[in-house]
Amino acid sequence: QVQLVESGGGLVQAGGSLRLSCAASGNIVGITVMGWYRQAPGRQRELVAAINSVGYTNYADSVKGRFTISRDNAKNTVYLQMNGLKPEDTAVYYCNVKRSYGNVPAPDSWGQGTQVTVSS
């Protein structure tokens, strides 16, 4: 089992920045993709950004050019740098880690969620 500890959420004004961190521990063997999802009230959970083991990234259209995902494999940590924050970015952000045994996927691991609130 993988344990994910998130940090970096908070309250900022529109146009501000936050950096989210998620450190993985426990059974970290076979981690492939690390990413961030978010869920706002009344909305489904959506992918914000993801990064695979060789550095390929994928972003939601709504955050392209503003958010940057990165990972430090030595520290088993994924980051989300969020710049130019908008009120519509307000949500609970969840760290997500995917693992595989060989090419057989394991169930996803999820962080507890960290609140990001952007005021206008």
Side-chain angles (χ1 to χ4, degrees):
Q1 186 171 337
V2 176
Q3 292 78 47
L4 303 176
V5 179
E6 300 164 315
S7 63
L11 172 64
V12 297
Q13 294 184 357
S17 297
L18 286 173
R19 190 192 192 205
L20 305 183
S21 298
C22 174
S25 62
N27 189 8
I28 60 174
V29 175
I31 291 177
T32 55
V33 179
M34 307 181 78
W36 294 91
Y37 290 70
R38 67 186 180 188
Q39 187 166 25
R43 299 182 63 88
Q44 295 186 11
R45 187 172 299 187
E46 65 176 350
L47 174 69
V48 178
I51 182 168
N52 74 3
S53 59
V54 296
Y56 176 82
T57 58
N58 186 37
Y59 296 93
D61 288 342
S62 60
V63 307
K64 287 180 179 177
R66 299 188 297 120
F67 292 9
T68 302
I69 190 170
S70 61
R71 63 191 284 177
D72 185 337
N73 291 327
K75 297 180 179 179
N76 298 306
T77 300
V78 62
Y79 306 92
L80 185 67
Q81 179 67 46
M82 304 186 293
N83 298 325
L85 284 162
K86 303 175 180 180
E88 51 262 43
D89 295 318
T90 295
V92 178
Y93 284 69
Y94 297 91
C95 181
N96 170 264
V97 171
K98 301 181 185 298
R99 298 192 302 120
S100 65
Y101 304 108
N103 62 352
V104 178
D108 285 12
S109 297
W110 293 91
Q112 79 285 353
T114 183
Q115 177 70 47
V116 172
T117 302
V118 184
S119 62
S120 60

